[in-house]
């Protein structure tokens, strides 16, 4: 049996800021606005794939942000949110999973507190500093590169990772990554083969631990991505290209080994 762990934003769905063509399906509303979309082809491919394999959305989104997403006729039983720190099963938080996540990140408690203070004092910050369920720190900066560099100069890089994604800035314990989440979930619910797809730095640990990792060509050349990861060509929208590739791979009955 096969399980597919997939990032969401810019992997399956896209914000209103991203041009995915005139024909699209709104899958997320926020404060009365349409904010995220999928293409009809992505939606059809996802439904087709969902009939064949187990799909687990794996995202840095919070529970609230994840619950804003409504893909017609697609309701995965499980989802890993908060970068894998929280497991949702049938829409409910798994308390045991979350308590274990808190234990994992406890070694980073002081680093997160210090990083939170640094961001509170950051003149480039343009959003409140949020501690997400005791798991990681998030804010936005008008100069994210400068904010990230300041954090990296002051925090223990062996303990936490500092990321930026657009204006967003994150301080995340190294132990709280999507790869760890996938391995924890596989131990809890074993299946033979793991596929993973994602488009950003957050997704690299998940891509590396999968039997088949799928990434956009823009990530090619990253020194921390293992050789077995497959890159899409970029000639089609990433969501469509990766889902077509997985469907073709599943139908072929191929056996993948790192």
């Amino acid at each position: 049996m096969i399980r597919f762990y997939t990032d969401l934003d810019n992997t399956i769905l896209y914000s209103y800021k991203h041009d995915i063509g005139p024909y699209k399906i709104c899958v997320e509303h926020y404060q009365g606005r349409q904010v995220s979309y999928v293409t009809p082809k992505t939606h059809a491919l996802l439904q087709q794939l969902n009939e064949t394999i187990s799909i687990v959305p794996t995202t840095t989104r919070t529970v609230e942000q994840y619950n804003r997403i409504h893909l017609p006729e697609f309701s995965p039983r499980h989802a890993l949110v908060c970068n894998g720190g929280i497991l949702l099963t049938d829409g409910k938080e798994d308390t045991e999973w979350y308590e274990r996540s808190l234990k994992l990140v406890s070694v980073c408690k002081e680093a997160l507190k210090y990083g939170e203070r640094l961001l509170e004092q950051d003149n480039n910050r343009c959003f409140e500093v949020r501690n997400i369920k005791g798991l990681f720190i998030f804010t936005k900066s008008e100069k994210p590169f400068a904010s990230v560099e300041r954090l990296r100069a002051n925090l223990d890089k062996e303990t936490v990772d500092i990321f930026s994604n657009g204006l967003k800035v994150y301080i995340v314990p190294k132990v709280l990554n999507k790869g760890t989440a996938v391995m924890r979930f596989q131990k809890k619910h074993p299946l033979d083969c793991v596929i993973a797809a994602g488009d950003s730095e957050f997704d690299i640990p998940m891509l590396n631990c999968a039997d088949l990792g799928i990434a956009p060509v823009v990530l090619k050349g990253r020194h921390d991505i293992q050789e077995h990861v497959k890159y899409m060509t970029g000639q089609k929208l990433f969501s469509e290209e990766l889902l077509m590739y997985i469907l073709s791979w599943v139908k072929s009955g191929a056996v993948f080994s790192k």
Side-chain angles (χ1 to χ4, degrees):
M1 292 291 292
I2 300 170
R3 180 174 288 130
F4 173 38
Y5 297 88
T6 181
D7 175 50
L8 293 174
D9 295 277
N10 298 315
T11 298
I12 296 297
L13 55 92
Y14 297 87
S15 84
Y16 66 94
K17 298 176 183 178
H18 194 118
D19 182 11
I20 60 172
Y23 304 108
K24 51 194 177 184
I25 302 167
C26 179
V27 296
E28 180 183 9
H29 290 82
Y30 180 59
Q31 296 181 341
R33 296 181 295 116
Q34 296 184 354
V35 294
S36 294
Y37 302 87
V38 297
T39 64
K41 185 171 184 178
T42 294
H43 184 236
L45 290 168
L46 196 60
Q47 287 179 301
Q48 188 177 348
L49 193 61
N50 193 42
E51 295 172 357
T52 309
I53 65 177
S54 171
I55 301 177
V56 180
T58 306
T59 176
T60 308
R61 282 179 174 244
T62 64
V63 175
E64 179 186 9
Q65 291 169 335
Y66 175 76
N67 285 335
R68 293 202 304 253
I69 300 170
H70 297 284
L71 279 84
E73 300 176 39
F74 179 71
S75 300
R77 185 180 181 200
H78 301 289
L80 292 163
V81 302
C82 292
N83 219 44
I86 292 179
L87 168 63
L88 299 177
T89 300
D90 297 325
K92 297 181 179 179
E93 295 186 32
D94 185 313
T95 302
E96 183 181 346
W97 181 282
Y98 175 55
E99 289 175 353
R100 176 58 182 160
S101 296
L102 289 177
K103 288 181 180 178
L104 285 174
V105 304
S106 62
V107 295
C108 309
K109 193 173 182 179
E110 293 305 315
L112 290 177
K113 282 184 178 179
Y114 184 37
E116 193 171 356
R117 289 199 301 270
L118 289 173
L119 286 172
E120 290 284 3
Q121 300 163 5
D122 189 340
N123 293 329
N124 295 317
R125 182 171 57 84
C126 56
F127 191 74
E128 65 183 352
V129 180
R130 291 183 178 176
N131 184 314
I132 307 299
K133 301 277 285 185
L135 298 170
F136 62 90
I137 306 299
F138 164 79
T139 191
K140 295 181 183 179
S141 171
E142 292 179 344
K143 297 181 180 179
F145 180 78
S147 296
V148 165
E149 288 302 300
R150 181 167 180 255
L151 291 170
R152 286 177 176 168
N154 287 278
L155 296 178
D156 181 3
K157 294 187 288 293
E158 297 300 316
T159 303
V160 296
D161 285 319
I162 298 105
F163 300 104
S164 65
N165 185 1
L167 298 180
K168 300 174 183 177
V169 176
Y170 300 84
I171 307 172
V172 184
K174 282 187 175 291
V175 293
L176 189 79
N177 65 65
K178 292 184 181 183
T180 299
V182 166
M183 289 186 286
R184 288 173 64 191
F185 192 83
Q186 284 296 114
K187 187 175 181 179
K188 188 177 178 72
H189 301 285
L191 277 185
D192 296 334
C193 182
V194 171
I195 302 174
D199 71 295
S200 75
E201 197 171 354
F202 281 108
D203 303 306
I204 292 173
M206 175 172 70
L207 299 175
N208 285 341
C209 78
D211 297 299
L212 172 61
I214 303 173
V217 70
V218 293
L219 286 186
K220 194 170 186 177
R222 289 278 307 227
H223 70 280
D224 48 352
I225 297 183
Q226 295 183 8
E227 292 182 357
H228 73 278
V229 172
K230 172 73 176 180
Y231 297 98
M232 298 294 95
T233 65
Q235 296 175 358
K236 298 182 179 69
L237 190 68
F238 182 51
S239 62
E240 296 177 356
E241 190 171 13
L242 78 89
L243 293 173
M244 289 172 63
Y245 182 84
I246 295 172
L247 274 168
S248 175
W249 185 83
V250 171
K251 288 178 179 178
S252 73
V255 177
F256 191 90
S257 61
K258 297 180 185 178

